[in-house]
Amino acid sequence: MRYYVKKIVSLIMVLFLIMLLTFIAFQVIPGDGAISRLGVDATDEEVEALREALGLNRSLPERFFSFLGGAVHGDFGKSYQYSKPVSELLTARLPATVGLAAISIILILVISVPLGLLCSRKEGGAADRAVTILTQTLMAVPAFFLGIIITLVFGLILKWFQIGGYIDPKVNFTGFLQYMIFPAAAVAVPKIAMTVKFLKTSVLRELKLDYVRTARSKGNTERVVLWRHVLKNALIPVITFMGMVIADVLAGSIVIEQVFNLPGVGRLLVVAIGNRDYPVVEAVVVYIAAVVLIVNFIVDLLYQKVDPRVRMR
Amino acid sequence: MKKQNQKNWSLIFGIVLVSIVCVFAFVGLFWTPYEPTAMSILKNKPPSFAHPFGTDNLGRDILSRVMDGASTTFLISVITVTIGLVAGTVVGAFTGYYGGIIDELLMRLNDTLTSFPSILLALVFVSVIGTGKYNIILALGVIFIPSFARVVRSEYIVQKELDYVRNAKLLGAGDLRIMFVHILPNTKPILLSSLTIGFNNAILAEAGMSYLSLGVQPPDASLGEMLSNAQTYLLNAPWFALAPGLMIVFTVLGFSLISENLK
């Protein structure tokens, strides 16, 4: 119980710190939000009226707590550029980003676990060496370059998908999946390479332990030893690793959404930065950071569920 | 024996790759076959004898632009990693050596910063201080401090309990001397490995930022900026995207092979 309380308290503290840092970051910007919206030609009265409306004339702590209070309720104010509530913009962009992340993570898990086991079955064998060279190379390919290559090969040459032809999941879910598989592959492939490598190291470490010898001496086949006995233990460190991968996938999707023209949260952020639409930038930053933190929080809880030794520390 | 052999091959391959890209980038600092920004009527032409990597949408020589872009990207990455390394080492050394409340506070801050994905943090910085070459250096440099600080700190926590540090203390060495003359050289192996990884991350981050048009601004060439430009002409001029992209892949692959063998 104490473990959970400690974890939750530290989660809330870090979330608070993130909000504080994000808030401060956007206060440092030289210039005034009101002037930047109205332009330098605006009269003093106009600027003053807008400052009043935006709440810019209140004291810093006051503004921080109203930002914090709003954020807790999911209210991040209005976008300068679209004059719409930021939360509305964010919700509209969620399906693409969540879909991209979910499909990528499924791809990573489904492909890397069998591949990792295959490599560790015969260390130094032909399959292992081929996969090692392949993973080493793929890890070096930035996701957005991979995305460009996928666009070229599957979009332009083979015409398996229409470039920029994102389909809303509410309109046609299969069409959405068919389109999303390509950006998801661009995000997933480098991560698959990393996960395979990590899993292999983890399995090889487990294979040296006594319980594996016991399992073998009981007459289990190598397949049963690997899948039933070793995999369970070897996956424990992989859970933490997956937490990092999920954070990476979210961050990586910022760039990938640009490559495949997906109307996701990442594109919202990039466009907002270009237009100096600070409420949107603040909201997206807090949102992504919070998701990453919560994912890591869940990973920690999972970790101690599967490995009770962690609780002792 | 076989394993050793394999390791050597991958190390040699890594060194070869890194040497090739370094020669490109280094020569690109001083000389390129054509002026990187010089336009001509030969637009989107495939590789030829006169233009080994072809030309881009404005008729600029891609080889020259890749050399120029690589040197920009490398320069940014080197400065960035240096900022991260120096500041991170100082922070890590002090917090690891002394511990206490400041250590506690800084490490909380560190945890918070590292929980942001680095590209997101870089985007926040850029939206606050603006885009461009120097702002990217500043943004990425600051972002790399926490990871170096963490590595150095944990190393100092281990080292400060060892006998040679006690001996140095008994001989009357001051804290600063112990920290930077006695302990620092012993953190070299771990620093070298984080240095190569950091350099790769810097290359990828710079390329990503410039790809999003939030990093190096045209007409300056950088590998990421070239890629973002090239995407529009993908069907007519695929070499335009391949040249800068492969440059990034070779660099990252080369450094990661070397760092693997350093461990």
Side-chain angles (χ1 to χ4, degrees):
Chain A
M1 195 59 210
R2 262 189 62 196
Y3 176 81
Y4 293 104
V5 173
K6 225 174 101 183
K7 277 274 156 203
I8 291 172
V9 169
S10 93
L11 174 73
I12 293 172
M13 264 172 55
V14 179
L15 273 175
F16 178 81
L17 256 177
I18 283 181
M19 301 260 215
L20 185 65
L21 287 179
T22 316
F23 178 78
I24 292 173
F26 289 95
Q27 302 306 316
V28 183
I29 302 169
D32 186 301
I35 296 175
S36 68
R37 273 181 79 181
L38 293 171
V40 278
D41 297 332
T43 62
D44 285 353
E45 292 88 65
E46 281 174 336
V47 171
E48 206 41 54
L50 188 63
R51 284 176 61 91
E52 179 78 45
L54 293 174
L56 287 175
N57 48 2
R58 287 182 291 163
S59 73
L60 263 184
E62 236 182 309
R63 272 156 57 200
F64 173 63
F65 282 105
S66 96
F67 167 69
L68 192 67
V72 171
H73 294 103
D75 174 13
F76 286 95
K78 263 187 174 177
S79 151
Y80 291 168
Q81 190 195 359
Y82 303 101
S83 312
K84 269 190 196 165
V86 176
S87 51
E88 203 175 289
L89 291 170
L90 202 59
T91 340
R93 300 302 190 95
L94 273 182
T97 302
V98 172
L100 179 62
I103 300 172
S104 318
I105 289 160
I106 292 171
L107 281 178
I108 294 172
L109 285 176
V110 170
I111 298 177
S112 51
V113 171
L115 218 54
L117 285 186
L118 178 77
C119 291
S120 32
R121 204 185 226 160
K122 237 185 163 184
E123 201 197 357
D128 175 36
R129 262 188 292 166
V131 174
T132 307
I133 292 172
L134 196 66
T135 51
Q136 195 80 41
T137 315
L138 287 176
M139 272 194 289
V141 183
F144 65 96
F145 181 51
L146 198 61
I148 292 175
I149 293 179
I150 289 177
T151 311
L152 175 65
V153 175
F154 295 101
L156 291 170
I157 298 175
L158 296 173
K159 299 209 189 314
W160 285 6
F161 72 100
Q162 169 130 38
I163 294 165
Y166 170 78
I167 297 164
D168 195 297
K170 279 185 224 109
V171 177
N172 178 353
F173 191 71
T174 345
F176 169 74
L177 286 183
Q178 270 167 9
Y179 185 76
M180 291 303 269
I181 195 86
F182 295 99
V187 177
V189 167
K191 302 291 166 216
I192 290 174
M194 284 180 201
T195 316
V196 166
K197 196 176 164 203
F198 192 83
L199 183 63
K200 186 185 134 189
T201 323
S202 174
V203 170
L204 288 178
R205 197 180 320 124
E206 289 294 322
L207 278 177
K208 294 202 179 77
L209 297 181
D210 284 343
Y211 77 88
V212 178
R213 197 179 47 200
T214 313
R216 277 189 188 138
S217 65
K218 280 177 161 174
N220 285 314
T221 58
E222 198 58 31
R223 179 192 294 267
V224 173
V225 171
L226 264 179
W227 281 87
R228 188 115 20 96
H229 297 266
V230 173
L231 184 61
K232 244 194 271 172
N233 292 314
L235 277 179
I236 294 174
V238 176
I239 292 175
T240 318
F241 183 72
M242 282 310 290
M244 276 154 47
V245 167
I246 292 172
D248 269 7
V249 163
L250 271 175
S253 64
I254 297 175
V255 190
I256 287 297
E257 283 172 15
Q258 199 76 12
V259 179
F260 287 89
N261 225 332
L262 299 176
V265 176
R267 276 203 35 130
L268 182 68
L269 176 67
V270 172
V271 173
I273 290 176
N275 291 322
R276 301 182 166 260
D277 193 350
Y278 297 126
V280 176
V281 180
E282 268 178 347
V284 175
V285 168
V286 169
Y287 167 77
I288 296 183
V291 171
V292 169
L293 270 178
I294 291 168
V295 165
N296 280 322
F297 173 74
I298 296 171
V299 163
D300 277 354
L301 293 191
L302 265 181
Y303 196 94
Q304 66 92 32
K305 258 265 158 330
V306 289
D307 189 358
R309 285 172 301 178
V310 179
R311 246 176 297 183
M312 314 284 210
R313 284 181 221 146
Chain B
M1 194 59 219
K2 197 175 167 194
K3 188 130 200 210
Q4 195 58 43
N5 238 328
Q6 220 174 330
K7 276 217 145 163
N8 279 336
W9 276 114
S10 75
L11 180 63
I12 291 168
F13 188 55
I15 292 174
V16 168
L17 281 180
V18 168
S19 323
I20 293 174
V21 290
C22 281
V23 165
F24 261 77
F26 189 72
V27 174
L29 269 181
F30 308 103
W31 176 85
T32 49
Y34 296 83
E35 190 63 34
T37 51
M39 302 175 207
S40 74
I41 49 164
L42 296 165
K43 290 175 184 165
N44 287 339
K45 286 280 174 279
S48 63
F49 196 69
H51 300 279
F53 290 0
T55 60
D56 71 3
N57 57 315
L58 298 173
R60 297 173 295 194
D61 179 49
I62 292 179
L63 173 63
S64 306
R65 286 190 69 77
V66 166
M67 288 170 74
D68 187 40
S71 62
T72 312
T73 302
F74 273 47
L75 204 64
I76 291 175
S77 305
V78 168
I79 302 175
T80 303
V81 171
T82 312
I83 295 174
L85 175 74
V86 173
T89 304
V90 173
V91 174
F94 274 93
T95 52
Y97 189 78
Y98 289 113
I101 183 87
I102 294 177
D103 173 43
E104 227 5 83
L105 280 176
L106 276 176
M107 281 306 123
R108 279 286 142 254
L109 185 68
N110 211 332
D111 284 346
T112 314
L113 286 178
T114 40
S115 72
F116 278 94
S118 60
I119 185 129
L120 186 66
L121 211 54
L123 288 174
V124 172
F125 260 94
V126 163
S127 65
V128 172
I129 59 179
T131 56
K133 208 194 284 188
Y134 299 103
N135 289 340
I136 271 289
I137 291 177
L138 186 65
L140 293 179
V142 172
I143 288 161
F144 282 117
I145 296 174
S147 60
F148 281 108
R150 178 177 291 195
V151 171
V152 172
R153 172 180 175 267
S154 54
E155 197 67 8
Y156 268 73
I157 289 177
V158 176
Q159 299 276 346
K160 73 175 179 192
E161 306 292 344
L162 296 182
D163 283 342
Y164 76 90
V165 174
R166 275 192 215 144
N167 286 343
K169 260 188 204 154
L170 284 177
L171 288 172
D175 282 350
L176 281 178
R177 191 178 166 81
I178 291 176
M179 276 154 71
F180 295 106
V181 180
H182 293 270
I183 300 183
L184 192 60
N186 292 320
T187 61
K188 209 168 92 188
I190 196 130
L191 271 183
L192 262 177
S193 144
S194 13
L195 208 62
T196 45
I197 296 169
F199 188 73
N200 271 349
N201 286 339
I203 298 241
L204 289 174
E206 188 282 321
M209 299 288 290
S210 301
Y211 174 77
L212 295 174
S213 325
L214 296 170
V216 175
Q217 299 294 321
D220 279 346
S222 100
L223 298 176
E225 180 268 331
M226 289 182 73
L227 271 173
S228 111
N229 237 330
Q231 214 187 335
T232 324
Y233 307 95
L234 210 47
L235 191 58
N236 302 327
W239 51 87
F240 186 9
L242 284 178
L246 288 178
M247 194 76 185
I248 298 175
V249 174
F250 288 164
T251 314
V252 175
L253 181 59
F255 278 106
S256 70
L257 285 176
I258 292 178
S259 106
E260 198 104 315
N261 284 290
L262 282 178
K263 278 178 198 161

